[in-house]
Amino acid sequence: MIEFRNVSYSYDPAAAAKAPDAGDAQADWGNSPDELWALRDVSFTLNDGEFFGIAGHTGSGKSTLVQHMNGLVAPTSGTVFVDGVDISDKHAASRVRANVGLVFQYPEHQLFASSVFDDVAFGPRNMGCPEEDMERIVREALQTVDLDFDAVRARSPFELSGGQQRRVAFAGVLAMHPRTLILDEPAAGLDPEGRRELLALVRRLHGDMGVTVVMISHSMDDLAVMADRILVLNQGSVWALGAPAEVFADAQACKSIGLDVPAPQRFANVLKERGVALPQPAGGLFTRESLVEAIAAAYRGRR
Amino acid sequence: MARSIIFGRYSPGKSPIHRMDPRLKLTAVLVAMVVILMSNTYPALAVAAAFVIGFYFVARIPASTALKSIAPLLFIVVLTALLNLFFVQGGTVYAQLGPLVISQEGVHFAIFLSLRLTLLLCMASLLTLTTTTLDLTDALEAMLKPFARFGFPAHEFAMVMGIALRFLPQFADELHTIRQAQLSRGAKITANPFKGGLSGLSSLMVPLFTSAFRHAETLSAGMDARCYHGGSGRTRLDPLTFTRLDVAGLVAIAAMAVCVVAAGMFHM
């Protein structure tokens, strides 16, 4: 369980101290580069076993927010608790890192070891896992991301394809067996096939292995289908927090902060504007299937 | 994100000094720095300081920005002051502690040299505060051009410098991200080789170098795609031209030189 209590963060704490009011922002959406506050008074609780989506326009503070979750960044004011422990303390933060795995954007850019094995083993070795368990740990991690352990273990990560590199980087975090997995745009820059596979992997981790997942994404379609709750950031403040159906209920409001609603819902909204109102299911219109059903229901109702 | 203020980061503006021709600005700043270096008395230094402050005023750069821009280099000033304080001897001895002697001459030199150094830094900083790196490298290229006749690759040299400057902040940002990522995997990043520091460092340096190569490849492909073929026969979209503004700048620098020299003589 991760709890954010009134967390504000500034890149320039000295200047922020002079203007302690994390109040008004000037930019329309996103933060202007000189903006004092990257996060303003953020409070929420992430429950165990949850699939938590984070959305928001570029520069709204998403990446800064998740870097608070394993203590990489300490709040300028406010507190982050992981399992009830305040992680502003350096030692608490480094203990937390074994439990909270953070996969950065384009994680393949952080590969460095001369073999896939060593790269995946980097995390567990840092955590002090005994060397005799290493082969088993690495094998499992690579299997989880659908890579053939025997085929890739001795290869240089730089010889692999882009999609494979990303999976190795993923495996490097999974090898630490985190209970919470934070993914910053995991599918960015992948082709549609790679994207589908990666999201399927994330679903499997959450569904079968019970990992708590926090996922930042620009694809509202993915978030709406996968997430239990979505947190929307705007200019560093919590703009909305709730189930996808609640968050995307007001398409106009979403648009005003530079956020799209999922494509099927958008389709239904346009139809409604043209005078064809579809029945709105309680869970929202977030998949093509539910859209087809709604259209079919409307069509049948008409006859 | 690494947000440290880099020495003389460009501060956008439309002041006369911003609009001056970079070639002239570079020359003028060099001349001003020589003038400051040559001022040997307090009155001369005061006059030079008045001119520097005047330049900043014309450039509409607030004192806080100016001070912030030279702050990272102030340690040089402090170091120089301390060295002079303890190692220059002469005149009345104020204090003595073992081999360390603080004398009248020492204090005088410490104060004088640190003032002069600060002024020099301010002047250098004014150039980078009011000139984009692109303009700066253009100016450098123009000034190195005469040496091209003797086989000096002026254009390539300026281009290499421009690209290096362009990527510095980017690599700083990327290094920061890589560091965060490796810390997330429990890396112990220290320079101490006995605490696994070397593997920690390689986990930073290898990704940074691969990223540099990746950027270099993308950049060279991008330059190729736009038919870049080096300096020969290249024309400019905005040719550098001297205007009346530059004449004014020239006059201001000449005035500074004359006044500072005069102030120095007056004291004698």
Side-chain angles (χ1 to χ4, degrees), chain A residues 33 67 72 97 110 119 126, chain B residues 3 180 182 185-186 188:
Chain A
Q67 288 179 24
L72 279 180
R97 279 179 203 147
Q110 282 118 38
D119 212 293
N126 287 331
Chain B
R3 287 225 180 176
Q180 301 282 65
Q182 308 301 23
R185 294 167 72 191
K188 293 163 200 69

Side-chain angles (χ1 to χ4, degrees), chain A residues 33-82:
Chain A
D34 293 326
E35 182 57 59
L36 215 45
W37 293 95
L39 290 177
R40 301 157 200 272
D41 199 18
V42 173
S43 297
F44 67 91
T45 303
L46 172 72
N47 302 314
D48 283 339
E50 195 171 17
F51 196 122
F52 194 80
I54 298 181
H57 197 271
T58 307
S60 58
K62 304 184 295 286
S63 296
T64 310
L65 179 79
V66 295
Q67 288 179 24
H68 279 80
M69 290 182 173
N70 69 352
L72 279 180
V73 172
T76 307
S77 69
T79 321
V80 180
F81 298 95
V82 176

Side-chain angles (χ1 to χ4, degrees), chain A residues 12 63 117 157 191 197 214 219 222 240 247 260 264:
Chain A
D12 189 355
S63 296
F117 186 95
D191 57 45
E197 283 173 11
V214 177
S219 164
D222 293 345
V247 170
D260 261 337

Side-chain angles (χ1 to χ4, degrees), chain A residues 205-287:
Chain A
L205 287 170
H206 177 247
D208 301 348
M209 303 171 76
V211 176
T212 310
V213 176
V214 177
M215 184 166 98
I216 294 181
S217 178
H218 274 123
S219 164
M220 297 308 124
D221 291 51
D222 293 345
L223 283 186
V225 177
M226 295 170 80
D228 300 318
R229 283 195 300 162
I230 298 177
L231 174 81
V232 182
L233 282 176
N234 185 36
Q235 296 172 39
S237 315
V238 177
W239 183 81
L241 172 61
E246 293 161 32
V247 170
F248 296 120
D250 189 348
Q252 285 304 320
C254 284
K255 198 160 188 182
S256 73
I257 62 154
L259 211 64
D260 261 337
V261 296
Q265 182 71 61
R266 204 162 58 231
F267 189 89
N269 292 350
V270 172
L271 272 183
K272 195 175 171 187
E273 276 170 33
R274 304 281 166 86
V276 185
L278 298 183
Q280 180 78 21
L285 274 172
F286 298 142
T287 60

Side-chain angles (χ1 to χ4, degrees), chain B residues 4-243:
Chain B
S4 49
I5 290 176
I6 299 157
F7 171 64
R9 193 175 66 159
Y10 179 62
S11 155
K14 288 201 171 72
S15 79
I17 294 193
H18 282 87
R19 284 182 284 133
M20 266 171 72
D21 187 292
R23 288 170 295 178
L24 191 116
K25 224 186 314 187
L26 186 61
T27 323
V29 165
L30 288 177
V31 171
M33 288 172 80
V34 170
V35 168
I36 294 170
L37 273 176
M38 291 194 331
S39 48
N40 279 323
T41 62
Y42 281 110
L45 214 52
V47 172
F51 270 95
V52 172
I53 292 169
F55 293 150
Y56 268 91
F57 187 75
V58 175
R60 290 188 208 116
I61 290 173
S64 60
T65 313
L67 288 179
K68 254 189 221 163
S69 78
I70 62 164
L73 291 180
L74 280 182
F75 79 93
I76 300 178
V77 176
V78 174
L79 195 71
T80 318
L82 286 178
L83 284 178
N84 279 287
L85 188 61
F86 291 124
F87 292 109
V88 176
Q89 323 263 300
T92 329
V93 172
Y94 293 139
Q96 187 162 15
L97 189 84
L100 295 176
V101 182
I102 297 179
S103 66
Q104 193 185 5
E105 285 280 285
V107 173
H108 163 73
F109 268 93
I111 295 175
F112 187 79
L113 285 181
S114 45
L115 282 177
R116 191 152 80 176
L117 253 181
T118 314
L119 271 188
L120 277 177
L121 288 179
C122 284
M123 207 58 217
S125 190
L126 180 66
L127 177 69
T128 46
L129 278 169
T130 58
T131 321
T132 61
T133 50
L134 203 63
D135 276 350
L136 213 53
T137 49
D138 280 349
L140 198 70
E141 183 184 345
M143 293 174 77
L144 288 175
K145 204 148 239 174
F147 299 103
R149 215 169 297 170
F150 311 112
F152 183 80
H155 171 80
E156 284 72 15
F157 183 78
M159 184 59 112
V160 166
M161 233 189 75
I163 291 173
L165 286 174
R166 149 77 181 73
F167 277 102
L168 267 184
Q170 177 144 9
F171 285 138
D173 265 3
E174 281 181 18
L175 183 62
H176 180 73
T177 311
I178 294 166
R179 185 169 176 275
Q180 301 282 65
Q182 308 301 23
L183 280 177
S184 292
R185 294 167 72 191
K188 293 163 200 69
I189 294 168
T190 106
N192 186 342
F194 297 107
K195 289 184 179 170
L198 290 181
S199 87
L201 280 187
S202 78
S203 76
L204 295 186
M205 292 337 264
V206 175
L208 190 66
F209 273 99
T210 44
S211 139
F213 284 118
R214 195 170 50 241
H215 282 303
E217 269 169 28
T218 318
L219 184 69
S220 62
M223 287 163 83
D224 257 349
R226 283 183 276 172
C227 306
Y228 178 78
H229 55 77
S232 60
R234 246 166 99 80
T235 55
R236 301 181 49 90
L237 179 61
D238 299 310
L240 297 172
T241 48
F242 289 112
T243 61

